[in-house]
Each structure stands twice: as C-alpha cells, then as structure tokens.
C-alpha cells in the first residue's frame, strides 16, 4: 500500500513538472509572438521577434532536422554581432498571429528580406503541420519565386487568414562572400507592396549592377 502511494506521488510530481515546463514554453512563445491587429502593425515587425542559429558553410540540414529538440535549443535571439560569419548558413524562426477583427479580409502578406543568395521559407500550424513553402534569393530563378522582387530585395508572399499562432522557419544562405544581412527584414500587407515599390527596388538594383 505504501509502495503504491509512493508511486502515485512520483507520477503526480512528474505530471506537474511536465505541465510546468509546457506552460513556461507556451508563455515564452506567446511573449515572442508578433500580433497583427491592424495592417499598420506590420511596420513594427522587425528583428526583435527573430531567433537565429548559425550552421557551417554548405550545411544541408532539412527543416525537419531543425525542428528537432537538439536544434531547437540552439536558437538564440537575433543580434547584429551573431551574423558575422561569411558563407555560413543561418536558420531563422519567428511566430506570427493574425488578431485582426476580420483576418480573412486581409489575408495576403509579404515577408521581406534584403540580400541573400538562397532563402527557403516554411510555415507550420499549431499542430506542427507544414502548410507553406516558398523560395527566393538573388540566385533563384524568377519562375521559382512566388512574388517578383528586385535583384537584392527578396520577397515571399503568404496567406495568414486564420487566427492561430504560426511558426515560420527560414534557411538563409549567401555564397557571395558578404555577411548575412537582416536589417531590412520585415513584414508588409500585400496591398501595400505595390508595383511602384517594386520598380523602386529594380531601379536601385540596376543602378548598382551598372558599376
């Protein structure tokens, strides 16, 4: 009888520890989630919500590998000094939640990067199911991108009609010898990303390419 009571206490204690850890992770994720309550909120999305991990040049880990516990614990909050490795592969992660009153009325968004050779973007729902993938980068053919952008201004279009928390992972690689660049990392409603903005990027790109 005493042994049974002891086992019951150990089991209860283990459950409490597990629930506590789960609750702590949930709270941390909630605090780091970027909440979209209006189209104007997109202007406040920047590297404060970004987590990165650095891998050796040419690293070929898949997104499934990056989502395992061993790799997840390597993510650290972005800092400019953490991207000083040339040719390194960077994996990024952030959380998004659309809390607009009618999220279905503005469901298309643009994720903005600046200069990179290859960028692969993956999105997962709260159940851990991947529901989105897109590729961009200055060495990626235009036919393989889901939105047109300038030579250096790399964009990805995605939909966010649901109100759940989505986890976004991306693989970032530069093979031109320059350091990774995340200062222009951001978010914009699809409606605001107009043709005139794209033309401005194109003019800038052609100007630099002329030298």
């Amino acid at each position: 009888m005493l042994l049974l009571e002891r086992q019951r206490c150990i089991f209860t204690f283990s459950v409490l520890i597990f629930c506590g850890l789960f609750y702590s992770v949930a709270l941390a994720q909630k605090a780091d989630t970027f909440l979209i309550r209006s189209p104007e909120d997109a202007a406040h999305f920047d590297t404060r919500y970004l987590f990165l991990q650095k891998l050796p040049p040419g690293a070929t880990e898949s997104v499934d590998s990056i989502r395992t516990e061993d790799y997840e614990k390597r993510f650290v909050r972005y800092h400019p000094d953490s991207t000083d490795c040339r040719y390194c592969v960077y994996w990024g992660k952030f959380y998004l939640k659309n809390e607009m009153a009618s999220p279905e009325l503005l469901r298309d968004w643009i994720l903005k990067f600046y200069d990179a050779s290859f960028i692969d973007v993956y999105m997962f729902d709260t159940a851990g199911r991947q529901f989105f993938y897109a590729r961009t980068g200055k060495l990626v053919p235009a036919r393989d991108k889901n939105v047109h952008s300038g030579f250096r201004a790399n964009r990805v279009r995605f939909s966010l009609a649901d109100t759940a928390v989505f986890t976004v992972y991306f693989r970032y690689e530069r093979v031109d010898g320059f350091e990774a660049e995340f200062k222009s990392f951001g978010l914009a409603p699809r409606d605001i990303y107009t043709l005139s903005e794209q033309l401005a990027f194109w003019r800038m790109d052609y100007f630099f390419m002329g030298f």
Side-chain angles (χ1 to χ4, degrees), residues 34-198:
F34 182 73
L35 305 178
I36 305 172
R37 296 191 173 99
S38 71
E40 292 74 23
D41 286 346
H44 303 292
F45 178 74
D46 54 28
T47 52
R48 291 174 296 174
Y49 298 90
L50 178 61
F51 294 84
L52 286 180
Q53 64 171 286
K54 179 168 54 180
L55 297 179
T60 58
E61 282 84 347
S62 67
V63 68
D64 292 331
S65 297
I66 296 299
R67 294 179 67 240
T68 60
E69 182 181 358
D70 183 47
Y71 282 92
E72 281 283 1
K73 64 185 180 184
R74 303 182 192 181
F75 278 105
V76 295
R77 195 175 295 277
Y78 167 81
H79 187 277
D81 294 340
S82 63
T83 58
D84 57 352
C85 176
R86 302 175 190 271
Y87 298 106
C88 279
V89 172
Y90 290 89
W91 275 93
K93 180 178 73 169
F94 58 92
Y95 306 102
L96 287 177
K97 184 178 183 183
N98 193 342
E99 288 195 339
M100 292 194 301
S102 301
E104 70 280 357
L105 298 181
L106 183 57
R107 57 183 300 164
D108 290 333
W109 297 82
I110 297 292
L111 183 61
K112 305 186 294 182
F113 297 91
Y114 181 55
D115 204 354
S117 304
F118 305 99
I119 301 173
D120 297 273
V121 179
Y122 308 81
M123 295 185 71
F124 293 82
D125 62 18
T126 52
R129 295 183 295 257
Q130 180 182 331
F131 67 93
F132 176 86
Y133 169 76
R135 196 170 211 216
T136 188
K138 65 183 182 182
L139 296 185
V140 176
R143 65 178 179 273
D144 295 334
K145 301 179 181 181
N146 71 355
V147 64
H148 295 295
S149 58
F151 181 67
R152 286 181 173 81
N154 300 293
R155 308 292 190 247
V156 168
R157 184 181 72 249
F158 65 94
S159 294
L160 201 65
D162 202 344
T163 57
V165 176
F166 297 104
T167 306
V168 183
Y169 293 86
F170 64 86
R171 182 185 185 275
Y172 178 105
E173 183 178 17
R174 293 193 71 163
V175 296
D176 55 9
F178 290 94
E179 294 181 3
E181 169 62 74
F182 292 102
K183 288 186 296 184
S184 301
F185 176 74
L187 186 68
R190 178 75 167 83
D191 295 344
I192 297 178
Y193 188 68
T194 61
L195 179 60
S196 60
E197 181 181 349
Q198 296 184 52

